[in-house]
Amino acid sequence: MKAIRTPGGLSVRLDIRTTVVVAALVVAALAAGVVLIGTGDFPIPAVDVLRSLAGNGNAGQDFIINDLRLPRVLVGLLVGGALGLSGALFQSISRNALGSPDVLGVGQGSTAGALVMIVLFGGSAAQVSLGALVGGLVTGVAIYLLAWKGGVHGYRLVLVGIGVNAFVLAVNGYLLTKADFVDAARATVWMTGSLNGRDWTQVWPLLILFAVLVPVVAAYGRPLRMLEMGDDSAGALGIRVERTRLLLLVSSVLLMAAATAAAGPVAFVALTAPQIARRLTKSPGPNLMASTWLGATLLIVADLVSQRMFGADQLPVGVVTGVVGGVYLLWLLVTERKAGRI
């Protein structure tokens, strides 16, 4: 940790290791994105990708890169970042490593909203995205209200979220049984989580959401660290506990719902990214920036692995993240058990 004094007389504490880790993750995410842009049925060398992104490519490559592949990569970066940040917020608020929005039912709520639009109304892609966003928000509000008892305790939030997740999962299964063959197939493809076919219409809403929520979350970084010490300690330090918790929960739910609306329910990124980020930085606190960029890196690398190993459009990225996240979860449980914490 290093203290830096600004020209205005303010003192800023800079964690050198965290800064290096975040910088390395930014480079890794962008480098993987460049390689991913060049991957497909028409391979393009990374040098040509960079030249085209700088505005010096030929017309054919410019069309493939800027119109077809760049939006997909940007959606991947934004969705992964949103999931990582959402997971970091949920885990910090609940003070529980399993306090992930996809484990606690927000992801399933978004899926329910999308299924309603697909199965009951035969909605368009835009309507499905809107349904996913509304479903996630409604589920998040329900979890908060059900967990409220003179305040929201982290342990109670996790238990209520797991119960809501099980209920909404059953609702989703019921909706699938009521769908005809075409709608059921369409819903199943959407539920795997994929970046296939994503374009600029998914990029701009995510960019706007990031532009609004990231400054808000960053402004509440210190209160969030105080909340991790417990409500009584945070309140004694002048933190308005419930208002802070509610605002950050709403931000987390919005990030999770928007990510699901853009790419479907991509599994385990929100759960694993914050924990891996904390292990890399070895820093206490929510590690918001590290979690955000690690989520983006995980999703882009997973999509790159999917395309390199199975060919373009053969294996949705949600399948890859599900496998990797499941293995990580098993490893985490074994590690925690050996340490005597569970």
PDB file of all heavy atoms in Angstrom, residues 66-76 79 125 128-129 189-203 206 259-266 303 313 316-317:
ATOM      1  N   ASN A  66     -15.507  -4.826 -37.992  1.00  0.00           N
ATOM      2  CA  ASN A  66     -16.276  -3.769 -37.339  1.00  0.00           C
ATOM      3  C   ASN A  66     -17.774  -4.042 -37.282  1.00  0.00           C
ATOM      4  O   ASN A  66     -18.451  -3.634 -36.333  1.00  0.00           O
ATOM      5  CB  ASN A  66     -16.035  -2.434 -38.039  1.00  0.00           C
ATOM      6  CG  ASN A  66     -14.587  -1.994 -37.942  1.00  0.00           C
ATOM      7  OD1 ASN A  66     -13.944  -2.181 -36.912  1.00  0.00           O
ATOM      8  ND2 ASN A  66     -14.058  -1.414 -39.016  1.00  0.00           N
ATOM      9  N   ASP A  67     -18.302  -4.729 -38.289  1.00  0.00           N
ATOM     10  CA  ASP A  67     -19.746  -4.951 -38.339  1.00  0.00           C
ATOM     11  C   ASP A  67     -20.171  -6.304 -37.771  1.00  0.00           C
ATOM     12  O   ASP A  67     -21.278  -6.418 -37.236  1.00  0.00           O
ATOM     13  CB  ASP A  67     -20.255  -4.841 -39.784  1.00  0.00           C
ATOM     14  CG  ASP A  67     -20.129  -3.430 -40.339  1.00  0.00           C
ATOM     15  OD1 ASP A  67     -19.988  -2.503 -39.523  1.00  0.00           O
ATOM     16  OD2 ASP A  67     -20.146  -3.263 -41.566  1.00  0.00           O
ATOM     17  N   LEU A  68     -19.310  -7.320 -37.884  1.00  0.00           N
ATOM     18  CA  LEU A  68     -19.705  -8.661 -37.483  1.00  0.00           C
ATOM     19  C   LEU A  68     -19.079  -9.120 -36.170  1.00  0.00           C
ATOM     20  O   LEU A  68     -19.782  -9.654 -35.304  1.00  0.00           O
ATOM     21  CB  LEU A  68     -19.347  -9.660 -38.596  1.00  0.00           C
ATOM     22  CG  LEU A  68     -19.996  -9.413 -39.963  1.00  0.00           C
ATOM     23  CD1 LEU A  68     -19.564 -10.489 -40.947  1.00  0.00           C
ATOM     24  CD2 LEU A  68     -21.518  -9.384 -39.841  1.00  0.00           C
ATOM     25  N   ARG A  69     -17.795  -8.925 -36.014  1.00  0.00           N
ATOM     26  CA  ARG A  69     -17.104  -9.530 -34.867  1.00  0.00           C
ATOM     27  C   ARG A  69     -16.866  -8.581 -33.701  1.00  0.00           C
ATOM     28  O   ARG A  69     -16.903  -9.012 -32.543  1.00  0.00           O
ATOM     29  CB  ARG A  69     -15.767 -10.132 -35.333  1.00  0.00           C
ATOM     30  CG  ARG A  69     -15.953 -11.270 -36.317  1.00  0.00           C
ATOM     31  CD  ARG A  69     -14.618 -11.868 -36.727  1.00  0.00           C
ATOM     32  NE  ARG A  69     -14.790 -12.928 -37.721  1.00  0.00           N
ATOM     33  CZ  ARG A  69     -13.783 -13.562 -38.320  1.00  0.00           C
ATOM     34  NH1 ARG A  69     -12.524 -13.241 -38.012  1.00  0.00           N
ATOM     35  NH2 ARG A  69     -14.028 -14.512 -39.213  1.00  0.00           N
ATOM     36  N   LEU A  70     -16.592  -7.321 -33.962  1.00  0.00           N
ATOM     37  CA  LEU A  70     -16.328  -6.379 -32.873  1.00  0.00           C
ATOM     38  C   LEU A  70     -17.509  -6.247 -31.913  1.00  0.00           C
ATOM     39  O   LEU A  70     -17.307  -6.254 -30.685  1.00  0.00           O
ATOM     40  CB  LEU A  70     -15.944  -5.011 -33.444  1.00  0.00           C
ATOM     41  CG  LEU A  70     -15.644  -3.914 -32.421  1.00  0.00           C
ATOM     42  CD1 LEU A  70     -14.504  -4.323 -31.497  1.00  0.00           C
ATOM     43  CD2 LEU A  70     -15.334  -2.590 -33.118  1.00  0.00           C
ATOM     44  N   PRO A  71     -18.750  -6.119 -32.397  1.00  0.00           N
ATOM     45  CA  PRO A  71     -19.872  -6.030 -31.440  1.00  0.00           C
ATOM     46  C   PRO A  71     -19.968  -7.248 -30.532  1.00  0.00           C
ATOM     47  O   PRO A  71     -20.250  -7.107 -29.341  1.00  0.00           O
ATOM     48  CB  PRO A  71     -21.101  -5.914 -32.356  1.00  0.00           C
ATOM     49  CG  PRO A  71     -20.582  -5.399 -33.648  1.00  0.00           C
ATOM     50  CD  PRO A  71     -19.209  -5.971 -33.795  1.00  0.00           C
ATOM     51  N   ARG A  72     -19.724  -8.429 -31.088  1.00  0.00           N
ATOM     52  CA  ARG A  72     -19.775  -9.650 -30.271  1.00  0.00           C
ATOM     53  C   ARG A  72     -18.752  -9.599 -29.148  1.00  0.00           C
ATOM     54  O   ARG A  72     -19.042  -9.930 -27.991  1.00  0.00           O
ATOM     55  CB  ARG A  72     -19.529 -10.863 -31.170  1.00  0.00           C
ATOM     56  CG  ARG A  72     -19.391 -12.185 -30.419  1.00  0.00           C
ATOM     57  CD  ARG A  72     -18.840 -13.275 -31.328  1.00  0.00           C
ATOM     58  NE  ARG A  72     -18.642 -14.531 -30.613  1.00  0.00           N
ATOM     59  CZ  ARG A  72     -19.287 -15.650 -30.861  1.00  0.00           C
ATOM     60  NH1 ARG A  72     -20.187 -15.678 -31.817  1.00  0.00           N
ATOM     61  NH2 ARG A  72     -19.045 -16.740 -30.156  1.00  0.00           N
ATOM     62  N   VAL A  73     -17.531  -9.158 -29.467  1.00  0.00           N
ATOM     63  CA  VAL A  73     -16.469  -9.088 -28.464  1.00  0.00           C
ATOM     64  C   VAL A  73     -16.791  -8.025 -27.418  1.00  0.00           C
ATOM     65  O   VAL A  73     -16.588  -8.237 -26.210  1.00  0.00           O
ATOM     66  CB  VAL A  73     -15.113  -8.813 -29.138  1.00  0.00           C
ATOM     67  CG1 VAL A  73     -14.033  -8.524 -28.098  1.00  0.00           C
ATOM     68  CG2 VAL A  73     -14.703 -10.003 -29.997  1.00  0.00           C
ATOM     69  N   LEU A  74     -17.301  -6.881 -27.859  1.00  0.00           N
ATOM     70  CA  LEU A  74     -17.666  -5.834 -26.908  1.00  0.00           C
ATOM     71  C   LEU A  74     -18.785  -6.296 -25.974  1.00  0.00           C
ATOM     72  O   LEU A  74     -18.760  -6.011 -24.771  1.00  0.00           O
ATOM     73  CB  LEU A  74     -18.092  -4.572 -27.661  1.00  0.00           C
ATOM     74  CG  LEU A  74     -16.974  -3.822 -28.394  1.00  0.00           C
ATOM     75  CD1 LEU A  74     -17.541  -2.634 -29.160  1.00  0.00           C
ATOM     76  CD2 LEU A  74     -15.897  -3.361 -27.422  1.00  0.00           C
ATOM     77  N   VAL A  75     -19.770  -6.998 -26.516  1.00  0.00           N
ATOM     78  CA  VAL A  75     -20.826  -7.554 -25.663  1.00  0.00           C
ATOM     79  C   VAL A  75     -20.224  -8.523 -24.656  1.00  0.00           C
ATOM     80  O   VAL A  75     -20.586  -8.516 -23.463  1.00  0.00           O
ATOM     81  CB  VAL A  75     -21.916  -8.247 -26.511  1.00  0.00           C
ATOM     82  CG1 VAL A  75     -22.864  -9.042 -25.616  1.00  0.00           C
ATOM     83  CG2 VAL A  75     -22.695  -7.230 -27.317  1.00  0.00           C
ATOM     84  N   GLY A  76     -19.264  -9.361 -25.110  1.00  0.00           N
ATOM     85  CA  GLY A  76     -18.614 -10.289 -24.202  1.00  0.00           C
ATOM     86  C   GLY A  76     -17.876  -9.576 -23.079  1.00  0.00           C
ATOM     87  O   GLY A  76     -17.974  -9.961 -21.904  1.00  0.00           O
ATOM     88  N   VAL A  79     -20.616  -7.875 -20.798  1.00  0.00           N
ATOM     89  CA  VAL A  79     -21.379  -8.861 -20.027  1.00  0.00           C
ATOM     90  C   VAL A  79     -20.502  -9.479 -18.942  1.00  0.00           C
ATOM     91  O   VAL A  79     -20.909  -9.598 -17.780  1.00  0.00           O
ATOM     92  CB  VAL A  79     -21.947  -9.954 -20.957  1.00  0.00           C
ATOM     93  CG1 VAL A  79     -22.451 -11.150 -20.154  1.00  0.00           C
ATOM     94  CG2 VAL A  79     -23.083  -9.385 -21.796  1.00  0.00           C
ATOM     95  N   ALA A 125     -36.548 -10.622 -30.371  1.00  0.00           N
ATOM     96  CA  ALA A 125     -35.314 -10.612 -29.586  1.00  0.00           C
ATOM     97  C   ALA A 125     -35.294  -9.437 -28.607  1.00  0.00           C
ATOM     98  O   ALA A 125     -34.886  -9.584 -27.449  1.00  0.00           O
ATOM     99  CB  ALA A 125     -34.105 -10.543 -30.523  1.00  0.00           C
ATOM    100  N   VAL A 128     -37.666 -10.206 -25.760  1.00  0.00           N
ATOM    101  CA  VAL A 128     -37.077 -11.209 -24.869  1.00  0.00           C
ATOM    102  C   VAL A 128     -36.064 -10.559 -23.936  1.00  0.00           C
ATOM    103  O   VAL A 128     -36.020 -10.842 -22.728  1.00  0.00           O
ATOM    104  CB  VAL A 128     -36.424 -12.342 -25.692  1.00  0.00           C
ATOM    105  CG1 VAL A 128     -35.608 -13.265 -24.782  1.00  0.00           C
ATOM    106  CG2 VAL A 128     -37.497 -13.139 -26.430  1.00  0.00           C
ATOM    107  N   SER A 129     -35.247  -9.666 -24.475  1.00  0.00           N
ATOM    108  CA  SER A 129     -34.271  -8.950 -23.647  1.00  0.00           C
ATOM    109  C   SER A 129     -34.963  -8.101 -22.588  1.00  0.00           C
ATOM    110  O   SER A 129     -34.539  -8.060 -21.427  1.00  0.00           O
ATOM    111  CB  SER A 129     -33.370  -8.079 -24.527  1.00  0.00           C
ATOM    112  OG  SER A 129     -32.615  -8.871 -25.417  1.00  0.00           O
ATOM    113  N   VAL A 189     -31.982 -22.845 -26.402  1.00  0.00           N
ATOM    114  CA  VAL A 189     -30.769 -22.223 -26.950  1.00  0.00           C
ATOM    115  C   VAL A 189     -30.450 -20.945 -26.181  1.00  0.00           C
ATOM    116  O   VAL A 189     -29.295 -20.696 -25.814  1.00  0.00           O
ATOM    117  CB  VAL A 189     -30.955 -21.935 -28.455  1.00  0.00           C
ATOM    118  CG1 VAL A 189     -29.805 -21.075 -28.971  1.00  0.00           C
ATOM    119  CG2 VAL A 189     -31.038 -23.235 -29.240  1.00  0.00           C
ATOM    120  N   TRP A 190     -31.466 -20.126 -25.915  1.00  0.00           N
ATOM    121  CA  TRP A 190     -31.234 -18.881 -25.189  1.00  0.00           C
ATOM    122  C   TRP A 190     -30.719 -19.154 -23.780  1.00  0.00           C
ATOM    123  O   TRP A 190     -29.845 -18.440 -23.268  1.00  0.00           O
ATOM    124  CB  TRP A 190     -32.532 -18.077 -25.126  1.00  0.00           C
ATOM    125  CG  TRP A 190     -32.351 -16.712 -24.530  1.00  0.00           C
ATOM    126  CD1 TRP A 190     -32.034 -15.561 -25.195  1.00  0.00           C
ATOM    127  CD2 TRP A 190     -32.458 -16.349 -23.147  1.00  0.00           C
ATOM    128  NE1 TRP A 190     -31.929 -14.515 -24.307  1.00  0.00           N
ATOM    129  CE2 TRP A 190     -32.185 -14.966 -23.044  1.00  0.00           C
ATOM    130  CE3 TRP A 190     -32.747 -17.069 -21.983  1.00  0.00           C
ATOM    131  CZ2 TRP A 190     -32.208 -14.288 -21.833  1.00  0.00           C
ATOM    132  CZ3 TRP A 190     -32.768 -16.386 -20.770  1.00  0.00           C
ATOM    133  CH2 TRP A 190     -32.503 -15.023 -20.705  1.00  0.00           C
ATOM    134  N   MET A 191     -31.236 -20.202 -23.137  1.00  0.00           N
ATOM    135  CA  MET A 191     -30.888 -20.489 -21.745  1.00  0.00           C
ATOM    136  C   MET A 191     -29.466 -21.002 -21.562  1.00  0.00           C
ATOM    137  O   MET A 191     -28.981 -21.059 -20.431  1.00  0.00           O
ATOM    138  CB  MET A 191     -31.888 -21.514 -21.165  1.00  0.00           C
ATOM    139  CG  MET A 191     -33.279 -20.944 -20.928  1.00  0.00           C
ATOM    140  SD  MET A 191     -34.500 -22.225 -20.516  1.00  0.00           S
ATOM    141  CE  MET A 191     -33.816 -22.846 -18.974  1.00  0.00           C
ATOM    142  N   THR A 192     -28.785 -21.381 -22.627  1.00  0.00           N
ATOM    143  CA  THR A 192     -27.402 -21.828 -22.478  1.00  0.00           C
ATOM    144  C   THR A 192     -26.449 -20.658 -22.278  1.00  0.00           C
ATOM    145  O   THR A 192     -25.351 -20.828 -21.742  1.00  0.00           O
ATOM    146  CB  THR A 192     -26.945 -22.636 -23.707  1.00  0.00           C
ATOM    147  OG1 THR A 192     -27.080 -21.826 -24.890  1.00  0.00           O
ATOM    148  CG2 THR A 192     -27.763 -23.906 -23.868  1.00  0.00           C
ATOM    149  N   GLY A 193     -26.838 -19.463 -22.712  1.00  0.00           N
ATOM    150  CA  GLY A 193     -25.956 -18.301 -22.629  1.00  0.00           C
ATOM    151  C   GLY A 193     -24.979 -18.293 -23.783  1.00  0.00           C
ATOM    152  O   GLY A 193     -24.139 -19.181 -23.904  1.00  0.00           O
ATOM    153  N   SER A 194     -25.096 -17.326 -24.669  1.00  0.00           N
ATOM    154  CA  SER A 194     -24.281 -17.324 -25.882  1.00  0.00           C
ATOM    155  C   SER A 194     -24.038 -15.902 -26.365  1.00  0.00           C
ATOM    156  O   SER A 194     -24.845 -14.998 -26.119  1.00  0.00           O
ATOM    157  CB  SER A 194     -24.980 -18.133 -26.979  1.00  0.00           C
ATOM    158  OG  SER A 194     -24.266 -18.053 -28.197  1.00  0.00           O
ATOM    159  N   LEU A 195     -22.902 -15.726 -27.058  1.00  0.00           N
ATOM    160  CA  LEU A 195     -22.583 -14.454 -27.708  1.00  0.00           C
ATOM    161  C   LEU A 195     -22.855 -14.496 -29.205  1.00  0.00           C
ATOM    162  O   LEU A 195     -22.617 -13.506 -29.903  1.00  0.00           O
ATOM    163  CB  LEU A 195     -21.113 -14.083 -27.466  1.00  0.00           C
ATOM    164  CG  LEU A 195     -20.690 -13.875 -26.007  1.00  0.00           C
ATOM    165  CD1 LEU A 195     -19.203 -13.594 -25.925  1.00  0.00           C
ATOM    166  CD2 LEU A 195     -21.485 -12.744 -25.366  1.00  0.00           C
ATOM    167  N   ASN A 196     -23.333 -15.617 -29.691  1.00  0.00           N
ATOM    168  CA  ASN A 196     -23.591 -15.748 -31.121  1.00  0.00           C
ATOM    169  C   ASN A 196     -24.663 -14.759 -31.579  1.00  0.00           C
ATOM    170  O   ASN A 196     -25.708 -14.598 -30.938  1.00  0.00           O
ATOM    171  CB  ASN A 196     -24.067 -17.172 -31.448  1.00  0.00           C
ATOM    172  CG  ASN A 196     -22.992 -18.199 -31.156  1.00  0.00           C
ATOM    173  OD1 ASN A 196     -21.810 -17.880 -31.095  1.00  0.00           O
ATOM    174  ND2 ASN A 196     -23.401 -19.444 -30.957  1.00  0.00           N
ATOM    175  N   GLY A 197     -24.388 -14.090 -32.695  1.00  0.00           N
ATOM    176  CA  GLY A 197     -25.368 -13.188 -33.284  1.00  0.00           C
ATOM    177  C   GLY A 197     -25.522 -11.854 -32.587  1.00  0.00           C
ATOM    178  O   GLY A 197     -26.417 -11.069 -32.921  1.00  0.00           O
ATOM    179  N   ARG A 198     -24.671 -11.568 -31.605  1.00  0.00           N
ATOM    180  CA  ARG A 198     -24.799 -10.289 -30.897  1.00  0.00           C
ATOM    181  C   ARG A 198     -24.283  -9.154 -31.780  1.00  0.00           C
ATOM    182  O   ARG A 198     -23.304  -9.311 -32.504  1.00  0.00           O
ATOM    183  CB  ARG A 198     -24.023 -10.322 -29.575  1.00  0.00           C
ATOM    184  CG  ARG A 198     -24.543 -11.361 -28.584  1.00  0.00           C
ATOM    185  CD  ARG A 198     -26.052 -11.251 -28.402  1.00  0.00           C
ATOM    186  NE  ARG A 198     -26.573 -12.150 -27.401  1.00  0.00           N
ATOM    187  CZ  ARG A 198     -27.146 -13.303 -27.642  1.00  0.00           C
ATOM    188  NH1 ARG A 198     -27.243 -13.738 -28.897  1.00  0.00           N
ATOM    189  NH2 ARG A 198     -27.629 -14.037 -26.676  1.00  0.00           N
ATOM    190  N   ASP A 199     -24.967  -8.000 -31.721  1.00  0.00           N
ATOM    191  CA  ASP A 199     -24.582  -6.874 -32.574  1.00  0.00           C
ATOM    192  C   ASP A 199     -24.618  -5.590 -31.760  1.00  0.00           C
ATOM    193  O   ASP A 199     -24.713  -5.610 -30.525  1.00  0.00           O
ATOM    194  CB  ASP A 199     -25.495  -6.782 -33.803  1.00  0.00           C
ATOM    195  CG  ASP A 199     -26.974  -6.704 -33.435  1.00  0.00           C
ATOM    196  OD1 ASP A 199     -27.280  -6.155 -32.349  1.00  0.00           O
ATOM    197  OD2 ASP A 199     -27.810  -7.182 -34.211  1.00  0.00           O
ATOM    198  N   TRP A 200     -24.567  -4.455 -32.471  1.00  0.00           N
ATOM    199  CA  TRP A 200     -24.472  -3.169 -31.781  1.00  0.00           C
ATOM    200  C   TRP A 200     -25.719  -2.848 -30.965  1.00  0.00           C
ATOM    201  O   TRP A 200     -25.647  -2.021 -30.038  1.00  0.00           O
ATOM    202  CB  TRP A 200     -24.226  -2.055 -32.798  1.00  0.00           C
ATOM    203  CG  TRP A 200     -22.860  -2.134 -33.412  1.00  0.00           C
ATOM    204  CD1 TRP A 200     -22.536  -2.570 -34.658  1.00  0.00           C
ATOM    205  CD2 TRP A 200     -21.619  -1.766 -32.784  1.00  0.00           C
ATOM    206  NE1 TRP A 200     -21.169  -2.504 -34.856  1.00  0.00           N
ATOM    207  CE2 TRP A 200     -20.586  -2.016 -33.731  1.00  0.00           C
ATOM    208  CE3 TRP A 200     -21.277  -1.255 -31.534  1.00  0.00           C
ATOM    209  CZ2 TRP A 200     -19.249  -1.767 -33.439  1.00  0.00           C
ATOM    210  CZ3 TRP A 200     -19.948  -1.011 -31.237  1.00  0.00           C
ATOM    211  CH2 TRP A 200     -18.948  -1.258 -32.184  1.00  0.00           C
ATOM    212  N   THR A 201     -26.852  -3.464 -31.249  1.00  0.00           N
ATOM    213  CA  THR A 201     -28.064  -3.182 -30.469  1.00  0.00           C
ATOM    214  C   THR A 201     -27.940  -3.674 -29.030  1.00  0.00           C
ATOM    215  O   THR A 201     -28.646  -3.181 -28.149  1.00  0.00           O
ATOM    216  CB  THR A 201     -29.299  -3.830 -31.127  1.00  0.00           C
ATOM    217  OG1 THR A 201     -29.094  -5.252 -31.228  1.00  0.00           O
ATOM    218  CG2 THR A 201     -29.546  -3.261 -32.511  1.00  0.00           C
ATOM    219  N   GLN A 202     -27.078  -4.657 -28.785  1.00  0.00           N
ATOM    220  CA  GLN A 202     -26.816  -5.087 -27.407  1.00  0.00           C
ATOM    221  C   GLN A 202     -25.690  -4.291 -26.758  1.00  0.00           C
ATOM    222  O   GLN A 202     -25.608  -4.196 -25.536  1.00  0.00           O
ATOM    223  CB  GLN A 202     -26.450  -6.577 -27.359  1.00  0.00           C
ATOM    224  CG  GLN A 202     -27.600  -7.547 -27.510  1.00  0.00           C
ATOM    225  CD  GLN A 202     -27.909  -7.841 -28.957  1.00  0.00           C
ATOM    226  OE1 GLN A 202     -27.026  -7.862 -29.805  1.00  0.00           O
ATOM    227  NE2 GLN A 202     -29.179  -8.076 -29.257  1.00  0.00           N
ATOM    228  N   VAL A 203     -24.810  -3.708 -27.578  1.00  0.00           N
ATOM    229  CA  VAL A 203     -23.652  -2.995 -27.030  1.00  0.00           C
ATOM    230  C   VAL A 203     -24.070  -1.699 -26.350  1.00  0.00           C
ATOM    231  O   VAL A 203     -23.676  -1.417 -25.201  1.00  0.00           O
ATOM    232  CB  VAL A 203     -22.616  -2.695 -28.140  1.00  0.00           C
ATOM    233  CG1 VAL A 203     -21.500  -1.801 -27.597  1.00  0.00           C
ATOM    234  CG2 VAL A 203     -22.041  -3.992 -28.688  1.00  0.00           C
ATOM    235  N   LEU A 206     -25.725  -1.714 -22.787  1.00  0.00           N
ATOM    236  CA  LEU A 206     -24.753  -2.097 -21.762  1.00  0.00           C
ATOM    237  C   LEU A 206     -23.767  -0.972 -21.477  1.00  0.00           C
ATOM    238  O   LEU A 206     -23.403  -0.729 -20.318  1.00  0.00           O
ATOM    239  CB  LEU A 206     -24.000  -3.360 -22.206  1.00  0.00           C
ATOM    240  CG  LEU A 206     -24.791  -4.664 -22.181  1.00  0.00           C
ATOM    241  CD1 LEU A 206     -24.007  -5.776 -22.870  1.00  0.00           C
ATOM    242  CD2 LEU A 206     -25.111  -5.062 -20.742  1.00  0.00           C
ATOM    243  N   ALA A 259     -26.934  -8.055 -18.100  1.00  0.00           N
ATOM    244  CA  ALA A 259     -26.023  -9.031 -18.698  1.00  0.00           C
ATOM    245  C   ALA A 259     -26.792 -10.241 -19.214  1.00  0.00           C
ATOM    246  O   ALA A 259     -26.526 -10.746 -20.317  1.00  0.00           O
ATOM    247  CB  ALA A 259     -24.970  -9.466 -17.678  1.00  0.00           C
ATOM    248  N   THR A 260     -27.761 -10.715 -18.432  1.00  0.00           N
ATOM    249  CA  THR A 260     -28.565 -11.860 -18.852  1.00  0.00           C
ATOM    250  C   THR A 260     -29.433 -11.499 -20.049  1.00  0.00           C
ATOM    251  O   THR A 260     -29.609 -12.310 -20.972  1.00  0.00           O
ATOM    252  CB  THR A 260     -29.446 -12.344 -17.691  1.00  0.00           C
ATOM    253  OG1 THR A 260     -28.626 -12.618 -16.550  1.00  0.00           O
ATOM    254  CG2 THR A 260     -30.203 -13.613 -18.077  1.00  0.00           C
ATOM    255  N   ALA A 261     -29.968 -10.286 -20.055  1.00  0.00           N
ATOM    256  CA  ALA A 261     -30.787  -9.856 -21.189  1.00  0.00           C
ATOM    257  C   ALA A 261     -29.970  -9.804 -22.468  1.00  0.00           C
ATOM    258  O   ALA A 261     -30.473 -10.098 -23.557  1.00  0.00           O
ATOM    259  CB  ALA A 261     -31.393  -8.483 -20.899  1.00  0.00           C
ATOM    260  N   ALA A 262     -28.687  -9.449 -22.365  1.00  0.00           N
ATOM    261  CA  ALA A 262     -27.844  -9.308 -23.556  1.00  0.00           C
ATOM    262  C   ALA A 262     -27.300 -10.629 -24.069  1.00  0.00           C
ATOM    263  O   ALA A 262     -27.161 -10.817 -25.283  1.00  0.00           O
ATOM    264  CB  ALA A 262     -26.677  -8.362 -23.265  1.00  0.00           C
ATOM    265  N   ALA A 263     -26.990 -11.570 -23.182  1.00  0.00           N
ATOM    266  CA  ALA A 263     -26.308 -12.800 -23.614  1.00  0.00           C
ATOM    267  C   ALA A 263     -26.923 -14.075 -23.081  1.00  0.00           C
ATOM    268  O   ALA A 263     -26.383 -15.161 -23.319  1.00  0.00           O
ATOM    269  CB  ALA A 263     -24.834 -12.742 -23.193  1.00  0.00           C
ATOM    270  N   GLY A 264     -28.032 -13.979 -22.375  1.00  0.00           N
ATOM    271  CA  GLY A 264     -28.589 -15.171 -21.760  1.00  0.00           C
ATOM    272  C   GLY A 264     -27.903 -15.440 -20.425  1.00  0.00           C
ATOM    273  O   GLY A 264     -26.941 -14.761 -20.048  1.00  0.00           O
ATOM    274  N   PRO A 265     -28.354 -16.453 -19.694  1.00  0.00           N
ATOM    275  CA  PRO A 265     -27.791 -16.749 -18.375  1.00  0.00           C
ATOM    276  C   PRO A 265     -26.425 -17.440 -18.462  1.00  0.00           C
ATOM    277  O   PRO A 265     -26.336 -18.664 -18.532  1.00  0.00           O
ATOM    278  CB  PRO A 265     -28.846 -17.673 -17.752  1.00  0.00           C
ATOM    279  CG  PRO A 265     -29.525 -18.319 -18.917  1.00  0.00           C
ATOM    280  CD  PRO A 265     -29.501 -17.316 -20.039  1.00  0.00           C
ATOM    281  N   VAL A 266     -25.360 -16.656 -18.468  1.00  0.00           N
ATOM    282  CA  VAL A 266     -23.997 -17.201 -18.506  1.00  0.00           C
ATOM    283  C   VAL A 266     -23.620 -17.611 -17.087  1.00  0.00           C
ATOM    284  O   VAL A 266     -23.547 -16.778 -16.189  1.00  0.00           O
ATOM    285  CB  VAL A 266     -23.005 -16.164 -19.054  1.00  0.00           C
ATOM    286  CG1 VAL A 266     -21.598 -16.738 -19.083  1.00  0.00           C
ATOM    287  CG2 VAL A 266     -23.432 -15.715 -20.454  1.00  0.00           C
ATOM    288  N   ASP A 303     -15.095 -17.805 -24.525  1.00  0.00           N
ATOM    289  CA  ASP A 303     -15.617 -17.781 -25.891  1.00  0.00           C
ATOM    290  C   ASP A 303     -14.524 -18.123 -26.899  1.00  0.00           C
ATOM    291  O   ASP A 303     -14.773 -18.817 -27.893  1.00  0.00           O
ATOM    292  CB  ASP A 303     -16.205 -16.405 -26.200  1.00  0.00           C
ATOM    293  CG  ASP A 303     -17.090 -16.411 -27.437  1.00  0.00           C
ATOM    294  OD1 ASP A 303     -17.853 -17.380 -27.623  1.00  0.00           O
ATOM    295  OD2 ASP A 303     -17.017 -15.455 -28.225  1.00  0.00           O
ATOM    296  N   ASP A 313     -19.769 -20.963 -33.471  1.00  0.00           N
ATOM    297  CA  ASP A 313     -21.206 -21.244 -33.328  1.00  0.00           C
ATOM    298  C   ASP A 313     -21.512 -22.687 -32.960  1.00  0.00           C
ATOM    299  O   ASP A 313     -22.657 -23.121 -33.064  1.00  0.00           O
ATOM    300  CB  ASP A 313     -21.966 -20.888 -34.617  1.00  0.00           C
ATOM    301  CG  ASP A 313     -21.774 -19.449 -35.034  1.00  0.00           C
ATOM    302  OD1 ASP A 313     -21.544 -18.618 -34.135  1.00  0.00           O
ATOM    303  OD2 ASP A 313     -21.842 -19.163 -36.241  1.00  0.00           O
ATOM    304  N   PRO A 316     -21.986 -22.866 -27.154  1.00  0.00           N
ATOM    305  CA  PRO A 316     -22.235 -21.568 -26.511  1.00  0.00           C
ATOM    306  C   PRO A 316     -21.271 -21.338 -25.360  1.00  0.00           C
ATOM    307  O   PRO A 316     -20.877 -22.270 -24.654  1.00  0.00           O
ATOM    308  CB  PRO A 316     -23.679 -21.699 -26.021  1.00  0.00           C
ATOM    309  CG  PRO A 316     -24.289 -22.748 -26.879  1.00  0.00           C
ATOM    310  CD  PRO A 316     -23.174 -23.724 -27.175  1.00  0.00           C
ATOM    311  N   VAL A 317     -20.931 -20.072 -25.146  1.00  0.00           N
ATOM    312  CA  VAL A 317     -19.954 -19.741 -24.120  1.00  0.00           C
ATOM    313  C   VAL A 317     -20.454 -20.113 -22.728  1.00  0.00           C
ATOM    314  O   VAL A 317     -19.657 -20.424 -21.831  1.00  0.00           O
ATOM    315  CB  VAL A 317     -19.616 -18.238 -24.200  1.00  0.00           C
ATOM    316  CG1 VAL A 317     -20.810 -17.377 -23.809  1.00  0.00           C
ATOM    317  CG2 VAL A 317     -18.426 -17.898 -23.322  1.00  0.00           C
TER     318      VAL A 317
END
